[in-house]
Amino acid sequence: MRSDEIDVKVYFTMVKRRLWLIVVCVASFTTLAAWYSYQNYVPMYEAHTKLIVNDASEADPFGRQQMNIGGGANSGLIDTYKEVIRTPIIMDKVVQRYPNLGVSSEHLMSAVRVAALNNTQVMIFSIVDYSHERAVLIVNAITDVFQAEIPRISPVNSVVVLTEAKMEADPEPINEKQNTYIVLGFMASLILSVGGVILLDSLDDTLRTEDDIREALGIPTLSSIPKLEKRRRSKTKNIGEGPYAAVKF
C-alpha cells in the first residue's frame, strides 16, 4: 500500500472520530452567518419619471411645436440637462419647496440618475432609496421643479411630464437577499473545523490501538482487553448480586 493512501486513511479516521464536532461547528457558524445576513439586509426601492424636452425654436410658422425624435441636437440638449439637474439651481429649490423630504441638495445631486431613452428627447429621472414612498416623493419633487425651472433657464425649451412615479401597494425591492455570507460562513467553518480536528488529533498522544503501542514503545502486544459497552458492563456488574453471586478472589 502506498504511503499517500495510508495518509488519506489516517486523515479520514481523524475526521470520522470527531465528526460530531465538525457538524456542530459548521451548523453553528452557518446559522450565525444566516442570521447576520438577514439582519443586515436593507431592501432598496427605485422610482422613476419620464419627461420629454421640446425645443420651441423648431416651431412651424403657425406656432405649433415640432417634436424631433432623433438627431444630434437633441442628444446634446439631453446631455446639457443631465448636468443642469445636478446643480444647486435645481436642487436648492427642491429642498425649499419640499422641506418634508428632509434631504439636502448634495444628497439629491448624488442620488438622482438621469438617462436618455434611446437617443430621443425622452429623459428618465430615477431615485433609489430604502423607502419606496420616499423614493416616489423625491423623484416627483425633482421632476416638478425641473419642469418649472427649465423655461426660466432656457426660454426656448419646455418640459412635459409623460409619466409620474406612483405609490405601489406591494413594491418589489431592486436588490435581492444575498447568500454570500451564508456560503462563506459554511466554507470557512468547514475548513477551520476539519483543520482543528486534525490538529487536536495530532496533539493527542493517547495510545488507542496495537499499532500505536508498537510505534510508540517499539514492543509487540501480547493481548488486549476489549472495551465493553455500558449495557454489557451493567449486566456483568449484576452477576455479583443475588443468591448466586460470583465469588471474587
Side-chain angles (χ1 to χ4, degrees), residues 36-125:
Y36 178 83
S37 178
Y38 288 111
Q39 285 294 320
N40 289 272
Y41 169 70
V42 178
M44 302 298 292
Y45 301 92
E46 182 181 23
H48 65 271
T49 58
K50 288 184 181 180
L51 309 86
I52 187 168
V53 180
N54 294 318
D55 190 351
S57 63
E58 296 181 357
D60 63 13
F62 299 98
R64 292 175 298 185
Q65 197 79 18
Q66 298 289 331
M67 185 182 299
N68 186 8
I69 302 300
N74 291 326
S75 177
L77 187 63
I78 296 299
D79 290 338
T80 300
Y81 286 148
K82 284 182 181 180
E83 299 302 321
V84 170
I85 196 174
R86 295 191 180 95
T87 58
I89 195 172
I90 299 294
M91 294 309 179
D92 285 349
K93 287 184 171 57
V94 175
V95 174
Q96 293 172 4
R97 295 182 186 180
Y98 299 91
N100 59 308
L101 296 177
V103 293
S104 63
S105 300
E106 292 75 13
H107 173 76
L108 293 176
M109 285 185 285
S110 62
V112 67
R113 297 291 181 268
V114 186
L117 186 61
N118 299 328
N119 267 341
T120 65
Q121 294 169 262
V122 178
M123 298 177 64
I124 300 177
F125 295 168

Side-chain angles (χ1 to χ4, degrees), residues 52-236:
I52 187 168
V53 180
N54 294 318
D55 190 351
S57 63
E58 296 181 357
D60 63 13
F62 299 98
R64 292 175 298 185
Q65 197 79 18
Q66 298 289 331
M67 185 182 299
N68 186 8
I69 302 300
N74 291 326
S75 177
L77 187 63
I78 296 299
D79 290 338
T80 300
Y81 286 148
K82 284 182 181 180
E83 299 302 321
V84 170
I85 196 174
R86 295 191 180 95
T87 58
I89 195 172
I90 299 294
M91 294 309 179
D92 285 349
K93 287 184 171 57
V94 175
V95 174
Q96 293 172 4
R97 295 182 186 180
Y98 299 91
N100 59 308
L101 296 177
V103 293
S104 63
S105 300
E106 292 75 13
H107 173 76
L108 293 176
M109 285 185 285
S110 62
V112 67
R113 297 291 181 268
V114 186
L117 186 61
N118 299 328
N119 267 341
T120 65
Q121 294 169 262
V122 178
M123 298 177 64
I124 300 177
F125 295 168
S126 61
I127 287 289
V128 176
D129 197 86
Y130 61 87
S131 170
H132 170 67
E133 180 180 1
R134 178 183 167 94
V136 170
L137 293 176
I138 291 177
V139 76
N140 282 337
I142 294 175
T143 302
D144 180 60
V145 172
F146 183 77
Q147 183 184 20
E149 294 299 321
I150 282 301
R152 301 179 186 179
I153 298 174
S154 179
V156 298
N157 296 319
S158 63
V159 176
V160 177
V161 178
L162 299 178
T163 59
E164 292 184 348
K166 296 181 179 180
M167 300 287 184
E168 298 180 10
D170 188 19
E172 290 288 336
I174 60 175
N175 60 328
E176 299 180 354
K177 293 182 178 179
Q178 300 292 331
N179 296 324
T180 305
Y181 290 110
I182 300 177
V183 175
L184 291 178
F186 174 80
M187 296 300 296
S189 59
L190 180 61
I191 295 173
L192 292 177
S193 58
V194 171
V197 163
I198 295 176
L199 178 61
L200 288 175
D201 199 281
S202 301
L203 298 176
D204 188 3
D205 56 358
T206 304
L207 302 179
R208 292 188 174 88
T209 64
E210 296 180 4
D211 294 335
D212 294 340
I213 297 175
R214 187 180 303 109
E215 183 178 352
L217 303 179
I219 58 176
T221 55
L222 300 178
S223 62
S224 61
I225 302 176
K227 182 179 179 181
L228 297 179
E229 298 178 0
K230 184 176 180 181
R231 185 181 302 175
R232 295 182 61 185
R233 290 201 304 266
S234 61
K235 290 182 179 181
T236 306

